[in-house]
């Protein structure tokens, strides 16, 4: 998704009243402010403040009259910070220009009321964000999902530390509505999942819709070019990819080509046909239909296109074969005459392990899972041989004597075993089963990990602490959660040797995240939570005059990857004027 | 009603003088300077405390055509007493000067005018202006605030309703005349309300907090009275209903009744999220400011794994978002992810009764307020 930078209308100034904004070329000012009658008078006020407001530096604010400006003009100013009225200096007569000198950082609200020729004008308010001296900056990716009038967009924002802050108004591009139709090769409408993915984007930017039974769909798209993936919902037709399309080219009839039948075989490591495997091919970047292999390993799928760019094979669970996945094959040509041969490599071997608990007693019912990521788990041959990576996951349950066995595991695998009640577990990584198998394994009691949290050197009671399993423990293991008591402490029971992502969230203390690898007994912390600040923002669509009322706003880490990139730091819903406020971790200030 | 009355003064002596002249025949007499005659003209009428009456004199008769001097006097009268003894104000001036009288109390006011010419002839004018000051009844208004359900506009059962006298800039306990005002509150609860379970507590002198114990139509009447018979009342009726269920308002992605969203292995885990929940007391996202009365909705998540026939709750998972990891599945797998929302109200009335395979569910049929939404997910 393209990163649409917020429009800056003077630094950190946002308008905050009514539904009408006035843009004088540098500032946002609102009008209305609840005075419904004022609009009929014919004049309204607008405000502009000087840029770069800072503590101890005078900030000039100028009011201008819009509409009927003939007559004696009088202005009344009110400036407050958190309800505390600030003193002002009049700079003109009539007083259409004033200055104030902020003594501390924070969002200052400037209200000007006025009359022209004795008639009241619509007043205006302006929020002036004064940044703390030495404020640190935290950058976020703010995902905005408008209630209407614009597509989802990401906006880069900076939150300053040390005080509540004011974000610039985010003006969203309204984009274009693409209304199209999906038809099959015979001209009939197709019910399908439609995904337009923005090309040349550094962040996810998928715009999705479902076409109905007649193939009609509609989606609002930002400017740009897209790859459009169409996945028919009933599975009887292959997916199709329409590459590099402008919105106008998406809002048209997208005709699916007549699919080609591609046949092949799935063979085990000995060359015998493997029955019951689920096979789908990636042809020209789009999935074929899915087929299950017959007794001799043969299959036939429908595909659109001719270039084999990937495949997925899920062998029957009882086979012990790894799942094969490839997303970037060389593009061998496939057609109705092809015989695509997919063959597993490296025959699996058997494994038997006697599981006991931490005091040596057999552990019947223990759950064992062998896992292995195999760079060369098989090959595909549609004219030339290519290696295919695979993932092995074999699950088994210990019998009444605590014995767990599988006839088919990878030659080098990791093993995770859990007791039935989850109180004991064991992780064994990269065991060379072919040469040094494990025949007996004692589980370990989960280690208790104390966690201490604080906010401003005071225990952060009520903080939510969560340890999300990673690596071998993910994704099957549920997160471990706890809440700190009044002194900010709690403890977590974690699997020894496991990897976790630890997150701490506190209503006023903010958020904290860190990774725990190879967990052992021992305390974590003290974790000093950063505290929180409020950030006020505003969403507009198309221009500052159009409120983004009802927009959903979520804040993500700006430069994170993986799970961190998905973690929501704050969320809010814009009110009828498009304004929103969220509480976010305080980036802090540099020591002077 | 304007309460200005002109009263003739010494009417009987005037009549006797006229009769004597008529009965006496011809006679000589010296030229006598007659006392001037003038009338009282009301320039600005007023009848309430705080208002100002303005008068001037209109010269009607003066035989010597000399400069006249007017002596104005205003008296305060106790009830219907014939003699008004309390001097309010007096003024000596020309015929063109205006006399102003500020009404300061409820007592009747009389205004009299004496006119004197330059030769010393003087006359207390026969017309006496009597002003009956009117009492302004108290004005009363009642402000009612409380948590209301947007869908029904009903106040929420068991939640406090603030009833505050709306002074509109005035002072509590006095009216526009400055009179002391007493307030009487009367509650009109539904018949099935119990005095021991409902709350109706005074908060200072200016209001009450009502905590309804049953749903239905509630009423509150406020009567304000002053000691001069002024009375005003206002009644506010309030419909009280139970806390409405929370509504899943916005989700990402938007669930489709039939469709399956694509989750590709190459993209990694994909989150399915509740963005907002509509609920008066337990909205989501929750309030950014501390408000002990406002909570936050809670969520339960369910998965229908590939090939499974029923949904299974994800034990202990209550976040607003759930990530589906495609690596936990095989390409081609289809699963369904379900979220259900709840607020602080628990009990059988909040149990969703929809079939397990229903992708959406609402406690109030046809309300379009869904407590359950389901995403179809296809792994690739």
């Amino acid at each position: 998704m393209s990163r649409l930078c917020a429009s800056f209308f003077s630094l950190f100034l946002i308008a905050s009243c009514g539904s009408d904004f006035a843009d004088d070329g540098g500032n946002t000012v609102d009008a209305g402010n609840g005075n419904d009658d004022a609009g009929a008078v014919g004049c309204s006020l607008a405000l502009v403040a000087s840029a770069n407001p800072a503590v101890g530096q005078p900030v000039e604010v100028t009011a201008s009259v819009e509409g009927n400006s003939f007559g004696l003009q009088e202005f009344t100013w009110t400036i407050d910070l958190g309800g505390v009225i600030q003193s002002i200096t009049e700079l003109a007569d009539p007083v259409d220009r004033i200055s104030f000198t902020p003594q501390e950082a924070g969002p200052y609200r400037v209200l000007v009321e006025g009359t022209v020729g004795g008639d009241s004008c619509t007043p205006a308010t302006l929020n002036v964000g004064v940044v703390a001296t030495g404020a640190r900056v935290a950058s976020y990716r703010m995902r905005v999902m408008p209630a209407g009038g614009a597509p989802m967009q990401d906006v880069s924002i900076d939150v300053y530390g040390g005080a509540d802050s004011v974000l610039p108004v985010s003006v969203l591009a309204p984009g274009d509505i693409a209304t199209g139709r999906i038809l099959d090769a015979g001209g009939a409408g197709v019910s399908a999942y439609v995904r337009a993915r923005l090309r040349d984007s550094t962040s996810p930017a998928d715009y999705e819709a479902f076409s109905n039974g007649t193939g009609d769909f509609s989606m609002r798209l930002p400017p740009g070019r897209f790859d459009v993936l169409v996945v028919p919902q009933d599975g009887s037709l292959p997916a199709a990819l329409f590459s590099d399309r402008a919105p106008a080219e998406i809002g048209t009839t997208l005709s699916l080509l007549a699919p080609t039948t591609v046949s092949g075989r799935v063979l085990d490591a000995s060359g015998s046909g493997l029955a019951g495997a689920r096979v789908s091919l990636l042809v020209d970047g789009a999935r074929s239909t899915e087929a299950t292999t017959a007794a001799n390993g043969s299959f036939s799928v429908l595909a659109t296109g001719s270039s084999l760019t990937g495949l997925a094979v899920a062998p029957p669970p009882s086979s012990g074969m790894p799942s094969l996945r490839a997303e970037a094959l060389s593009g061998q040509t496939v057609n109705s005459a092809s015989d695509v041969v997919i063959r597993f490599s490296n025959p699996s071997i058997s494994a038997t392990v006697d599981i006991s608990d931490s005091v040596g007693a057999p552990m019947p019912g223990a759950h064992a899972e062998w896992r292995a990521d195999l760079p060369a788990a098989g090959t595909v041959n549609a004219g030339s041989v290519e290696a295919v990576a695979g993932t092995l996951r074999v699950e088994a349950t210990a019998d009444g004597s605590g014995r767990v066995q599988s006839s088919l595991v990878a030659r080098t695998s990791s093993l995770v075993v859990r007791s039935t009640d989850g109180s004991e577990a064991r992780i064994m990584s990269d065991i060379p089963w072919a040469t040094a198998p494990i025949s007996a394994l004692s589980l370990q009691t989960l280690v208790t990990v104390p966690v201490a949290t604080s906010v401003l050197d005071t225990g952060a009671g009520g903080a939510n602490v969560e340890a999300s399993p990673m690596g071998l423990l993910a994704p099957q293991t549920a997160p471990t959660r706890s809440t700190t008591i009044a002194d900010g402490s709690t403890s977590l029971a974690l699997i020894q040797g496991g990897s976790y992502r630890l997150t701490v969230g506190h209503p006023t203390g903010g958020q904290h995240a860190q990774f725990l690898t190879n967990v052992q007994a021992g305390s974590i912390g003290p974790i000093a939570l950063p505290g929180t600040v409020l950030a006020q923002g505003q969403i507009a669509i198309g221009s500052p005059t159009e409120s983004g009322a009802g927009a959903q706003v979520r804040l993500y880490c700006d430069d994170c990857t993986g799970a961190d990139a998905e973690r929501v730091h704050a969320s809010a819903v814009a009110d009828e004027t498009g304004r929103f406020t969220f509480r976010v971790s305080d980036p802090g200030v540099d020591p002077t | 009603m304007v309460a200005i009355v002109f009263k003739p003064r010494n009417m009987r002596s005037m009549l006797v003088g006229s009769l004597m002249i008529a009965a006496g025949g011809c006679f000589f007499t010296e030229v006598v300077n007659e006392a001037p005659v003038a009338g009282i003209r009301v320039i600005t009428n007023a009848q309430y405390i705080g208002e100002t009456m303005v008068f001037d004199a209109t010269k009607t008769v003066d035989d010597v055509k000399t400069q006249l001097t007017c002596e104005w006097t205003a008296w305060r009268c106790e009830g219907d007493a014939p003699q008004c003894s309390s001097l309010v104000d007096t003024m000596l001036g020309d015929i063109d000067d205006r006399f102003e009288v500020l009404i300061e109390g409820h007592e009747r006011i009389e205004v009299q005018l004496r006119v004197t010419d330059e030769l010393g002839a003087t006359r207390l004018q026969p017309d006496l202006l009597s002003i009956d000051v009117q009492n302004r009844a108290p004005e009363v208004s009642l402000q009612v605030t409380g948590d209301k359900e947007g869908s029904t506009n009903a106040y929420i059962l068991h939640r406090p309703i603030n009833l505050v006298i709306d002074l509109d800039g005035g002072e509590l306990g006095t009216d526009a005349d400055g009179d002391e005002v007493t307030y009487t509150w009367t509650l009109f609860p539904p018949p099935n309300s119990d005095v021991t379970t409902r709350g109706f507590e005074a908060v200072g002198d200016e209001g009450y907090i009502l905590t309804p114990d049953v749903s239905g139509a509630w009423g509150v009447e406020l009567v304000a009275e002053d000691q001069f018979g002024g009375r005003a009342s206002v009644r506010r009726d309030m419909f009280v209903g139970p806390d409405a269920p929370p509504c899943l308002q916005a989700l990402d992605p938007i669930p489709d009744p039939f469709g399956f969203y694509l989750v590709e292995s190459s993209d990694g885990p994909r989150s399915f999220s509740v963005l907002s929940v509509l609920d008066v007391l337990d909205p989501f996202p929750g309030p950014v400011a501390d408000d002990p009365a406002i909570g936050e909705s809670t969520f339960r998540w369910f998965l229908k794994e590939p090939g499974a026939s029923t949904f299974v709750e994800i034990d202990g998972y209550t976040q607003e978002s759930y990530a589906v990891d495609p690596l936990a599945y095989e390409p081609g797998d289809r699963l369904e992810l379900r979220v259900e929302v709840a607020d602080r109200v628990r009990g059988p009335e909040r149990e969703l009764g929809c079939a397990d395979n229903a992708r959406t569910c609402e406690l109030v049929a046809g309300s379009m307020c869904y407590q359950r939404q389901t995403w179809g997910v296809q792994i690739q």
Side-chain angles (χ1 to χ4, degrees):
Chain A
M1 159 177 268
S2 66
R3 302 293 304 276
L4 299 176
C5 288
S7 298
F8 283 73
F9 294 94
S10 189
L11 280 184
F12 316 120
L13 310 178
I14 74 167
S16 62
C17 70
S19 57
D20 296 323
F21 301 76
D23 178 8
D24 63 0
N27 297 276
T28 57
V29 181
D30 57 21
N33 203 20
N35 184 355
D36 294 336
D37 298 329
V41 172
C43 63
S44 60
L45 302 177
L47 288 171
V48 180
S50 55
N52 302 320
V55 174
Q57 301 297 316
V59 179
E60 281 193 19
V61 188
T62 304
S64 59
V65 178
E66 299 183 342
N68 177 22
S69 61
F70 180 77
L72 186 64
Q73 298 184 358
E74 295 182 348
F75 302 90
T76 304
W77 295 81
T78 306
I79 299 178
D80 76 274
L81 173 65
V84 178
I85 301 298
Q86 308 292 306
S87 60
I88 64 171
T89 302
E90 297 178 354
L91 300 177
D93 183 18
V95 193
D96 61 355
R97 189 161 57 92
I98 58 98
S99 73
F100 69 100
T101 304
Q103 299 302 313
E104 56 183 302
Y108 288 74
R109 189 180 70 100
V110 180
L111 166 67
V112 64
E113 299 166 291
T115 60
V116 172
D119 291 331
S120 294
C121 297
T122 303
T125 60
L126 180 70
N127 283 356
V128 179
V130 177
V131 176
T133 304
R136 295 191 183 119
V137 182
S139 297
Y140 290 96
R141 173 172 55 93
M142 185 171 74
R143 173 151 293 181
V144 185
M145 282 154 282
M152 170 187 71
Q153 288 165 57
D154 281 359
V155 178
S156 291
I157 65 166
D158 289 335
V159 174
Y160 288 82
D164 295 345
S165 58
V166 178
L167 304 172
V169 177
S170 300
V171 182
L172 305 182
D176 297 304
I177 297 177
T179 300
R181 174 172 289 180
I182 309 294
L183 300 178
D184 66 14
V190 176
S191 174
Y193 164 84
V194 184
R195 184 191 70 192
R197 174 165 287 182
L198 195 56
R199 298 167 67 94
D200 304 324
S201 172
T202 56
S203 63
D206 290 345
Y207 298 86
E208 299 167 299
F210 291 93
S211 62
N212 59 19
T214 58
D216 296 325
F217 71 94
S218 179
M219 57 173 58
R220 187 181 280 272
L221 299 169
R225 298 194 70 81
F226 299 83
D227 291 332
V228 182
L229 180 67
V230 176
V231 183
Q233 290 288 281
D234 68 1
S236 63
L237 291 173
L241 186 65
F242 300 85
S243 297
D244 199 11
R245 302 289 179 108
E249 298 169 307
I250 299 170
T252 182
T253 297
L254 300 176
S255 295
L256 306 178
L257 299 174
T260 301
T261 300
V262 179
S263 301
R265 292 169 290 155
V266 176
L267 309 177
D268 63 16
S270 67
S272 301
L274 181 65
R278 292 161 52 197
V279 182
S280 64
L281 305 179
L282 200 60
V283 181
D284 284 354
R287 291 279 170 196
S288 70
T289 57
E290 184 179 300
T292 301
T293 55
N296 63 354
S298 65
F299 68 88
S300 293
V301 296
L302 296 177
T304 302
S306 60
S307 177
L308 181 63
T309 54
L311 60 81
V313 179
S318 59
S319 71
M321 303 285 191
S323 295
L324 302 181
R325 299 189 193 203
E327 302 284 346
L329 296 176
S330 63
Q332 299 179 62
T333 299
V334 291
N335 51 43
S336 57
S338 296
D339 178 22
V340 179
V341 179
I342 301 168
R343 181 166 180 169
F344 286 89
S345 307
N346 296 325
S348 300
I349 60 175
S350 62
T352 300
V353 184
D354 290 323
I355 308 294
S356 60
D357 64 15
S358 56
V359 295
M363 178 64 80
H367 176 268
E369 179 183 350
W370 282 270
R371 296 176 67 173
D373 292 324
L374 307 171
T379 58
V380 57
N381 183 354
S384 60
V385 177
E386 285 187 76
V388 177
T391 301
L392 177 72
R393 205 171 71 219
V394 178
E395 297 180 77
T397 301
D399 61 16
S401 65
R403 171 163 293 184
V404 61
Q405 54 187 348
S406 172
S407 59
L408 300 158
V409 302
R411 304 175 78 82
T412 298
S413 312
S414 298
L415 175 64
V416 177
V417 186
R418 298 179 184 84
S419 62
T420 52
D421 64 1
S423 63
E424 297 191 346
R426 191 73 184 268
I427 301 173
M428 303 297 291
S429 299
D430 299 329
I431 305 302
W433 294 95
T435 57
I438 295 174
S439 58
L441 187 68
S442 296
L443 300 188
Q444 297 169 324
T445 304
L446 269 56
V447 293
T448 301
V449 180
V451 179
T453 63
S454 66
V455 181
L456 299 176
D457 298 326
T458 301
N464 294 314
V465 182
E466 178 176 303
S468 300
M470 299 182 63
L472 292 175
L473 298 179
Q476 273 69 28
T477 308
T480 302
R481 299 185 183 85
S482 183
T483 302
T484 57
I485 60 177
D487 67 358
S489 67
T490 188
S491 62
L492 301 171
L494 304 178
I495 298 175
Q496 188 170 357
S499 297
Y500 295 86
R501 182 172 177 277
L502 182 76
T503 58
V504 181
H506 186 269
T508 57
Q511 297 189 3
H512 168 87
Q514 69 180 84
F515 292 103
L516 307 176
T517 56
N518 190 22
V519 165
Q520 303 295 326
S523 61
I524 300 174
I527 296 171
L529 296 172
T532 55
V533 292
L534 296 178
Q536 306 172 14
Q538 190 166 10
I539 304 297
I541 295 175
S543 76
T545 61
E546 298 297 328
S547 163
Q552 313 281 332
V553 180
R554 284 192 291 178
L555 217 55
Y556 297 92
C557 172
D558 189 39
D559 54 1
C560 297
T561 57
D564 272 349
E566 288 287 308
R567 186 161 69 100
V568 178
H569 289 253
S571 61
V573 182
D575 66 13
E576 65 275 8
T577 67
R579 287 178 293 168
F580 62 90
T581 301
F582 47 60
R583 187 178 288 281
V584 65
S585 293
D586 184 357
V589 294
D590 288 326
T592 54
Chain B
M1 184 176 92
V2 177
I4 301 175
V5 178
F6 286 94
K7 295 180 179 178
R9 182 181 291 276
N10 298 328
M11 183 71 78
R12 192 176 68 173
S13 61
M14 292 168 59
L15 289 172
V16 171
S18 301
L19 292 171
M20 290 174 66
I21 294 170
C26 298
F27 59 93
F28 295 95
T29 183
E30 292 182 38
V31 176
V32 176
N33 178 26
E34 292 288 336
V37 177
I40 299 176
R41 185 172 64 175
V42 179
I43 303 298
T44 301
N45 190 15
Q47 53 187 323
Y48 297 118
I49 292 173
E51 296 179 342
T52 300
M53 298 281 296
V54 182
F55 311 96
D56 69 359
T58 56
K59 184 172 68 174
T60 54
V61 178
D62 183 30
D63 55 351
V64 295
K65 307 289 191 280
T66 61
Q67 183 72 33
L68 299 180
T69 300
C70 295
E71 180 184 2
W72 293 88
T73 310
W75 304 89
R76 182 177 298 121
C77 312
E78 299 293 337
D80 294 329
Q83 296 301 317
C84 301
S85 57
S86 180
L87 181 65
V88 174
D89 198 5
T90 185
M91 186 187 82
L92 194 64
D94 294 336
I95 189 76
D96 297 327
D97 289 343
R98 292 183 172 186
F99 180 53
E100 296 184 355
V101 179
L102 175 64
I103 304 174
E104 296 179 295
H106 285 281
E107 299 86 358
R108 182 166 55 87
I109 291 176
E110 288 189 354
V111 176
Q112 65 182 29
L113 172 64
R114 175 180 293 278
V115 184
T116 305
D117 64 19
E118 288 181 328
L119 300 178
T122 184
R123 184 194 301 272
L124 188 63
Q125 298 306 310
D127 289 342
L128 181 70
L129 192 61
S130 177
I131 305 162
D132 285 328
V133 177
Q134 303 296 301
N135 177 43
R136 277 180 292 203
E139 292 183 1
V140 63
S141 179
L142 191 58
Q143 185 187 71
V144 182
T145 58
D147 297 322
K148 296 174 80 172
E149 279 297 345
S151 56
T152 62
N153 206 34
Y155 291 94
I156 299 174
L157 185 64
H158 301 308
R159 299 294 304 164
I161 301 172
N162 301 313
L163 307 160
V164 180
I165 300 170
D166 188 355
L167 298 170
D168 193 23
E171 277 188 43
L172 186 68
T174 60
D175 63 12
D177 289 339
D179 303 330
E180 183 177 336
V181 176
T182 57
Y183 300 98
T184 305
W185 295 77
T186 307
L187 179 67
F188 298 93
N192 55 339
S193 172
D194 187 333
V195 69
T196 63
T197 55
R198 67 173 175 250
F200 192 57
E201 304 292 335
V203 180
D205 296 327
E206 59 189 280
Y208 271 75
I209 291 179
L210 168 65
T211 307
D213 61 335
V214 295
S215 297
W218 292 69
V220 169
E221 184 182 60
L222 172 64
V223 176
E225 296 174 284
D226 65 19
Q227 67 267 41
F228 298 99
R231 183 180 189 278
S233 67
V234 60
R235 175 173 170 137
R236 295 292 300 270
D237 292 311
M238 300 153 284
F239 186 77
V240 173
D243 180 28
C247 308
L248 290 167
Q249 183 190 28
L251 299 96
D252 179 39
I254 300 170
D256 186 81
F258 310 103
F260 286 80
Y261 278 96
L262 202 63
V263 176
E264 291 194 290
S265 303
S266 54
D267 290 340
R270 176 173 186 179
S271 292
F272 294 79
S273 307
V274 177
L275 300 178
S276 62
V277 173
L278 279 181
D279 193 79
V280 175
L281 301 179
D282 300 297
F284 179 84
V288 294
D290 290 337
D291 186 345
I294 304 300
E296 195 168 84
S297 300
T298 56
F299 305 104
R300 296 169 66 197
W301 293 81
F302 304 80
L303 261 179
K304 187 176 178 181
E305 298 281 6
S309 57
T310 59
F311 283 85
V312 175
E313 183 169 4
I314 302 170
D315 189 33
Y317 194 81
T318 59
Q319 308 293 302
E320 77 275 16
S321 181
Y322 184 85
V324 173
D325 187 347
L327 296 180
Y329 302 94
E330 298 292 347
D333 281 349
R334 280 185 167 185
L335 57 141
E336 290 181 77
L337 177 64
R338 168 169 296 169
V339 63
E340 293 182 355
V341 66
D343 62 11
R344 66 187 66 185
V345 179
R346 297 290 188 270
E349 74 274 19
R350 291 296 173 88
E351 294 291 334
L352 295 178
C354 302
D356 186 63
N357 62 359
R359 280 199 168 184
T360 62
C361 191
E362 51 187 349
L363 283 164
V364 181
S367 66
M368 304 296 284
C369 168
Y370 295 102
Q371 289 76 48
R372 171 198 289 178
Q373 288 282 9
T374 306
W375 292 277
V377 180
Q378 179 168 338
I379 307 297
Q380 284 201 358

